[in-house]
Amino acid sequence: MKKTTQLYEGKAKKVFLTDESNLVIQEFKDDATAFNNKKKGTIADKGVVNNAISCKLFTLLESEGIHTHLVEKLSDRDMLCRHLDIIKVEVVVRNIAAGSLVKRYGFAEGTVLAKPIVELYLKDDDLDDPLMNESHAVALGIATLEELEVLKNRAEAINAVLKKFFADRKLKLVDFKLEFGRHNGEILLGDEISPDTCRLWDLETNEKLDKDRFRFDLGGVEDAYSEVQRRVLELD
Ligand code: TMP
Ligand code: ASP
């Protein structure tokens, strides 16, 4: 499968059309941004690591009956995907308080939530991805109420699978972000699942092994990403 026209360049990936009209290639870059582009940098080999982790996790989810855009891993940085009509909603699932939940609501970082929290954000960089509810999403014409129900249920099912998978590898799944899209009348999980889009803490030490190391200049960014890759792929 060959890349043809570049469809889009985002902060962490490029997407290319292919000679098959319903397939695209997602190319993972080493570029890293945080706080909606206010902080920029690169993380050596991040693209390779995030592609490997995402392909493994999407394959796991498929094996649990959760449909994703993954077709196959083509190379170190390239993932062959079904072409989605992206739904402009970022679905965040939280198991432990961290990040914007701590800032917005005053939770102590590390508080284990009695029940996972599912949040919806409008996917719009110009507006800084604001938090929204279902009424906002419907009023904006982004998705129907029925589709949003599917997204939330799917996000909870994905959380259950991933929480166990990471716990078996001595990682706490603190929170993560998902994106979905429409394809042939079905809603599929899209984008990526990686240390860019998840918070992952070591089960015993609570050491942060994710993009927070880059966001807050904690050092050891590359080592954290490769440690997650090692644990995710170790039982293969
Ligand atoms: P937050 O605590 O900053 O709202 O982030 C929640 C989770 O979502 C965290 O795992 C990081 C991820 N995330 C993204 O993948 N992209 C984003 O643009 C943001 C803001 C968060
Ligand atoms: N991905 C977002 C950005 O670039 C936010 C983040 O991950 O912190 O800016």
Side-chain angles (χ1 to χ4, degrees):
M1 190 67 53
K2 277 223 181 72
K3 293 174 185 165
T4 57
T5 318
Q6 183 175 307
L7 195 59
Y8 159 88
E9 177 160 9
K11 288 175 281 197
K13 292 184 293 293
K14 293 178 185 175
V15 178
F16 296 88
L17 294 173
T18 67
D19 27 29
E20 284 241 16
S21 68
N22 58 347
L23 299 180
V24 295
I25 293 173
Q26 196 168 258
E27 179 190 316
F28 287 73
K29 307 191 291 182
D30 290 346
D31 298 342
T33 66
F35 314 116
N36 197 16
N37 246 338
K38 287 179 195 77
K39 181 180 171 76
K40 292 184 196 184
T42 54
I43 300 174
D45 282 337
K46 174 170 82 76
V48 176
V49 171
N50 283 359
N51 187 28
I53 293 173
S54 293
C55 286
K56 169 73 190 184
L57 297 177
F58 283 145
T59 304
L60 166 76
L61 292 169
E62 290 281 355
S63 76
E64 297 285 339
I66 294 163
H67 297 304
T68 79
H69 69 157
L70 173 70
V71 177
E72 62 172 328
K73 184 171 187 280
L74 287 180
S75 66
D76 271 5
R77 288 179 186 274
D78 290 347
M79 183 194 280
L80 184 63
C81 303
R82 294 174 186 91
H83 191 172
L84 301 186
D85 164 27
I86 285 286
I87 300 172
K88 293 201 164 300
V89 176
E90 300 196 349
V91 184
V92 169
V93 182
R94 302 178 185 273
N95 297 305
I96 297 174
S100 68
L101 192 74
V102 167
K103 273 206 178 149
R104 186 173 291 121
Y105 299 103
F107 284 97
E109 187 184 62
T111 306
V112 177
L113 303 168
K115 197 173 162 297
I117 294 175
V118 179
E119 296 173 333
L120 306 177
Y121 291 83
L122 174 62
K123 187 174 156 59
D124 186 330
D125 283 345
D126 292 341
L127 297 175
D128 254 343
D129 295 348
L131 181 65
M132 66 175 173
N133 64 26
E134 286 84 344
S135 313
H136 295 113
V138 171
L140 285 163
I142 285 171
T144 65
L145 261 189
E146 294 71 29
E147 285 177 323
L148 294 166
E149 251 340 273
V150 172
L151 262 47
K152 288 190 295 176
N153 291 336
R154 206 70 67 82
E156 283 176 350
I158 292 167
N159 186 40
V161 173
L162 294 184
K163 218 158 71 168
K164 179 179 183 317
F165 177 86
F166 282 120
D168 289 345
R169 285 151 184 84
K170 301 271 184 286
L171 289 166
K172 288 184 197 173
L173 179 58
V174 173
D175 55 34
F176 58 99
K177 185 263 300 179
L178 301 170
E179 295 182 23
F180 296 88
R182 307 176 187 95
H183 181 86
N184 291 342
E186 220 197 327
I187 291 182
L188 304 181
L189 177 66
D191 196 48
E192 64 178 286
I193 305 178
S194 72
D196 270 11
T197 64
C198 301
R199 285 195 175 91
L200 296 161
W201 296 353
D202 181 85
L203 201 66
E204 270 139 35
T205 65
N206 279 336
E207 186 187 3
K208 295 179 188 339
L209 295 170
D210 55 60
K211 195 170 156 191
D212 272 352
R213 302 205 74 83
F214 169 79
R215 291 190 186 99
F216 301 109
D217 297 317
L218 303 179
V221 185
E222 282 86 359
D223 287 349
Y225 277 65
S226 34
E227 179 59 18
V228 172
Q229 181 183 23
R230 191 186 68 72
R231 294 195 202 183
V232 165
L233 300 179
E234 75 182 342
L235 304 178
D236 274 0

